[in-house]
Amino acid sequence: MADRYNSMELMICLAARYLEDGSTVVVGTGAPCAAAMLAQKTCSPNLMVMFEAGGAGPILPSMPISVGDSRTFYKGLFAGSMAEIMDACQRGMVDYTFLGGAQIDPYGNINSTVIGEHARPKVRFPGSGGANDLASLCWRTMMITPQDAKRFVPKCDFVTSPGYLTGPGAREAAGLPPGTGPYKVITQLAVIGFDETTKRMKVEAMHPGVTREDVIKNTGFELLWADDVFVSAPPTEEELRILRDEVDPYRYIIGRG
Amino acid sequence: MKVMGQGEGRLFTDPDANRAREYFRGKSRALKSKLTTVSEAVAGLIRDGDYVAVGGFGTNRIPTALLHEIVRQRKKGLGLSGHTATHDFQILAAGGCINRCDVAYVVGLEARGLSRNSRRLFESGGLEVTEWTNAALAWRYRAAAMGVPFIPARTMLGTDTFRKSAAKEIECPYTGEKLVALPALYPDVALVHVHRADVYGNCQVDGIMVADQELTRAAKKVIVTCERLIPNDEIRKNPEKTAITYFTVDAVVEVPFGSYPGNMAGEYFSDEEHLREWLAAEENAEAFRAFLDKYIYGTKDFNEYLQLCGGLAKMQKLRALELLSVPKGGE
């Protein structure tokens, strides 16, 4: 990979480009928030950024540490409640959300609860928080996540948040709102979408310098491949400048790349 | 109504709206002073075994003084609503105060990392757990606040989060669609920290409410700490600013910097250094015991804790951070 940028910077830039102007997105802290801030300063000045604790439409002065800290409604349009943000998601007013987890399966189901037995887990993670709600109720769920065979597993130990569950029609059968579900998974290697028919992960793009073998080696299940897999467009100088100077000057997030 | 499925988890609280009404029937509506102290409020209103819920959001506008006092008074067997409970969960877990938890988000401190001691509590099987989500808990408070036994929603469906919850799947009587029925959550005690309150318990909050309005209406007893006590006249000047109404409140205590080391919107930012010290101390059992002795068991009240953490000078620094008045590089 070129030395001009690191993998975290690349993932953030790619994610930002999916957030079109005039859309709504619920984000957490970290890379998703950086992507939303970058989008606001580049392609989508009118992106409505929302936080589950109640803040919405802030002019973020710096990266929030918590999705409930005061930066999340700094010069904001709205400072309300958890229920009000989640109501908006359930009502169908939120276009995008970003999630992550310890495990993700071919259908985009996510585990952020336990490894091992639930009653006495080998490892306990925080749990759903708002993730299950956002994955259930927002139109399109995105993920920015490191990709390796331990994280990309055939089956999650625990399905905390719904992807396409067991495949076509499963979300609707479970009672989840129609037309919702995972959209893109952005990793340090590739951009992965979901196949229309099978609802399984399908590689759409690989980043510059990445080979099919790299992607396969870092996935614990069989991936589908688009007919026309393309090379991700690397960050522009302008994107990198804004990301480094304005979005994350202390390198809290991009320092992890 | 047709029930189509049910989670395996235990329901820790009674969703019966009529029994809740009987309780609320007996609750005082008198406009009288509820001013007290942290230690009296905790001793008088929280019993071992109670189910408690905490306002704010993890490290933001949390009632730290009350949480420390619960640990100091060695309360036992508490149930907890884990609606993004981060530093609040960490404190109660450290004191060994809780034995059951409705989990939406616990153990982690968001971007700061995971609490090792809190994880140990789960991984040793020392906690009975029912899974939920943040929206589910917020809406469960809302159902209780509305005075109805459940509220329908469209979350949790199809997942293990539902399977380990105590929710039910029902058929919508209008559309025939599958919905989740979330049982009303009436906590025994709610603990909240607000910006301003009068002696009767009318409260004003700046910034996000998180779930505090629903929570304080749902809880049988409510303990409020506030940054500042204000005269009742101030409340009456701007009644639209009243976020919590006096008749839901049982105790009021003025605790300046009461959310420290958490963030209080417009007042002070979180003390990241101290929160890191907490997380680091948990890496070693002996060091952690010494840490708790120093900051909680060995202090007589919250003011002593604030002094240990740097006192007014530290608070002024956090205030500058909150108000973005620190020059770049001046940290």
Side-chain angles (χ1 to χ4, degrees):
Chain A
M1 196 174 290
D3 293 324
R4 205 164 58 79
Y5 53 87
N6 67 29
S7 60
M8 184 59 83
E9 290 171 330
L10 174 61
M11 290 193 285
I12 292 168
C13 290
L14 292 173
R17 295 176 197 159
Y18 282 104
L19 303 172
E20 75 263 22
D21 203 22
S23 62
T24 47
V25 60
V26 173
V27 298
T29 52
C33 186
M37 284 173 78
L38 178 62
Q40 274 189 328
K41 290 169 190 287
T42 53
C43 52
S44 307
N46 297 306
L47 176 70
M48 170 67 155
V49 181
M50 305 161 82
F51 295 87
E52 65 176 52
I59 296 172
L60 289 162
S62 59
M63 203 68 74
I65 294 174
S66 159
V67 300
D69 78 35
S70 51
R71 308 311 189 221
T72 62
F73 50 92
Y74 181 76
K75 296 187 178 178
L77 296 172
F78 180 68
S81 70
M82 165 83 65
E84 286 167 307
I85 299 295
M86 293 301 187
D87 288 350
C89 297
Q90 189 163 252
R91 206 158 65 236
M93 286 296 290
V94 179
D95 300 309
Y96 296 101
T97 192
F98 284 97
L99 302 177
Q103 293 179 321
I104 173 169
D105 76 9
Y107 297 106
N109 300 307
I110 298 171
N111 177 10
S112 58
T113 302
V114 289
I115 301 289
E117 261 306 293
H118 181 260
R120 195 160 182 162
K122 199 154 81 184
V123 186
R124 174 74 211 196
F125 295 112
S128 161
N132 177 300
D133 309 307
L134 299 170
S136 297
L137 306 172
C138 296
W139 289 110
R140 289 170 158 176
T141 299
M142 316 241 292
M143 292 161 229
I144 301 175
T145 177
Q147 183 175 358
D148 59 62
K150 273 177 81 175
R151 194 182 295 262
F152 282 57
V153 294
K155 194 173 186 306
C156 293
D157 282 33
F158 189 99
V159 175
T160 307
S161 304
Y164 289 105
L165 298 173
T166 54
R171 283 178 72 94
E172 293 77 5
L176 293 170
T180 55
Y183 179 53
K184 306 286 178 198
V185 181
I186 297 165
T187 79
Q188 81 281 13
L189 301 172
V191 176
I192 307 172
F194 290 83
D195 182 61
E196 274 296 314
T197 326
T198 62
K199 300 295 182 191
R200 287 177 63 100
M201 279 193 201
K202 184 172 177 176
V203 180
E204 295 178 354
M206 292 189 293
H207 305 334
V210 175
T211 65
R212 279 195 185 219
E213 287 64 41
D214 294 334
V215 178
I216 290 166
K217 200 173 63 199
N218 285 288
T219 311
F221 52 83
E222 200 174 332
L223 285 162
L224 303 174
W225 295 81
D227 295 335
D228 48 352
V229 174
F230 59 92
V231 178
S232 311
T236 65
E237 287 306 321
E238 180 71 352
E239 283 171 329
L240 287 174
R241 186 190 62 74
I242 293 171
L243 180 57
R244 290 168 185 169
D245 294 354
E246 296 177 30
V247 172
D248 189 16
Y250 299 104
R251 301 183 60 79
Y252 292 130
I253 312 300
I254 60 179
R256 297 182 208 157
Chain B
M1 191 172 286
K2 199 166 137 198
V3 173
M4 301 156 89
Q6 183 165 350
E8 301 164 4
R10 186 156 78 88
L11 190 55
F12 298 128
T13 51
D14 182 2
D16 190 300
N18 285 334
R19 279 195 286 273
R21 282 178 61 87
E22 279 307 311
Y23 177 86
F24 289 127
R25 185 177 206 174
K27 185 158 174 151
S28 168
R29 287 89 158 120
L31 196 68
K32 61 176 189 213
S33 172
K34 292 152 191 172
L35 210 52
T36 182
T37 63
V38 165
S39 65
E40 276 177 28
V42 169
L45 293 170
I46 305 175
R47 294 163 307 179
D48 285 349
D50 272 354
Y51 185 100
V52 303
V54 183
F57 192 84
T59 48
N60 310 291
R61 205 167 49 68
I62 51 168
T64 317
L66 295 173
L67 297 163
H68 279 201
E69 187 62 21
I70 288 171
V71 172
R72 208 177 279 118
Q73 292 188 16
R74 298 179 194 274
K75 297 285 181 187
K76 294 287 173 222
L78 300 179
L80 180 71
S81 170
H83 178 270
T84 299
T86 69
H87 189 52
D88 38 357
F89 185 94
Q90 192 180 19
I91 294 168
L92 295 177
C97 305
I98 47 180
N99 66 7
R100 61 198 188 282
C101 187
D102 282 315
V103 169
Y105 184 102
V106 296
V107 166
L109 273 84
E110 299 187 73
R112 304 172 184 92
L114 298 172
S115 153
R116 179 176 284 246
N117 184 64
S118 303
R119 281 175 84 164
R120 234 182 339 247
L121 186 58
F122 282 86
E123 291 161 15
S124 67
L127 197 65
E128 192 184 354
V129 176
T130 303
E131 302 285 339
W132 303 91
T133 66
N134 272 344
L137 291 181
W139 286 331
R140 289 185 63 196
Y141 296 150
R142 182 189 272 171
M146 288 170 72
V148 295
F150 77 93
I151 193 165
R154 310 188 72 183
T155 186
M156 290 175 38
L157 293 158
T159 60
D160 291 324
T161 305
F162 174 82
R163 189 170 57 82
K164 291 294 179 185
S165 77
K168 296 181 190 229
E169 283 172 356
I170 56 167
E171 189 183 87
C172 173
Y174 296 100
T175 65
E177 278 168 314
K178 205 184 271 182
L179 298 169
V180 67
L182 301 169
L185 201 175
Y186 293 97
D188 293 313
V189 191
L191 315 170
V192 298
H193 184 66
V194 301
H195 288 80
R196 296 169 297 278
D198 68 9
V199 295
Y200 309 117
N202 294 298
C203 302
Q204 298 179 344
V205 170
D206 299 336
I208 54 173
M209 289 302 310
V210 194
D212 289 27
Q213 285 183 302
E214 294 90 347
L215 169 58
T216 49
R217 291 162 190 168
K220 292 176 180 162
K221 290 177 277 184
V222 176
I223 305 176
V224 167
T225 59
C226 62
E227 288 290 320
R228 274 179 211 79
L229 270 177
I230 55 171
N232 178 251
D233 284 353
E234 289 296 312
I235 296 287
R236 291 185 186 276
K237 241 186 255 170
N238 294 292
E240 72 282 357
K241 281 283 290 175
T242 303
I244 298 168
T245 318
Y246 79 96
F247 62 51
T248 64
V249 175
D250 298 85
V252 178
V253 191
E254 186 181 53
V255 184
F257 306 104
S259 179
Y260 175 88
N263 170 218
M264 191 71 182
E267 297 285 337
Y268 43 92
F269 201 63
S270 49
D271 185 353
E272 293 303 315
E273 202 183 337
H274 185 64
L275 288 168
R276 269 197 300 274
E277 196 186 338
W278 256 91
L279 284 172
E282 292 186 4
E283 294 295 314
N284 173 298
E286 208 172 304
F288 191 42
R289 206 164 310 120
F291 178 90
L292 294 176
D293 280 342
K294 175 180 170 189
Y295 287 114
I296 299 183
Y297 294 113
T299 52
K300 77 170 191 303
D301 60 22
F302 195 66
N303 273 334
E304 265 194 40
Y305 170 67
L306 292 177
Q307 283 305 322
L308 277 177
C309 292
L312 193 56
K314 170 56 82 58
M315 301 307 135
Q316 281 179 307
K317 195 174 146 193
L318 297 174
R319 184 170 173 75
L321 269 178
E322 173 63 12
L323 301 178
L324 300 168
S325 55
V326 181
K328 258 193 182 171
E331 225 295 65

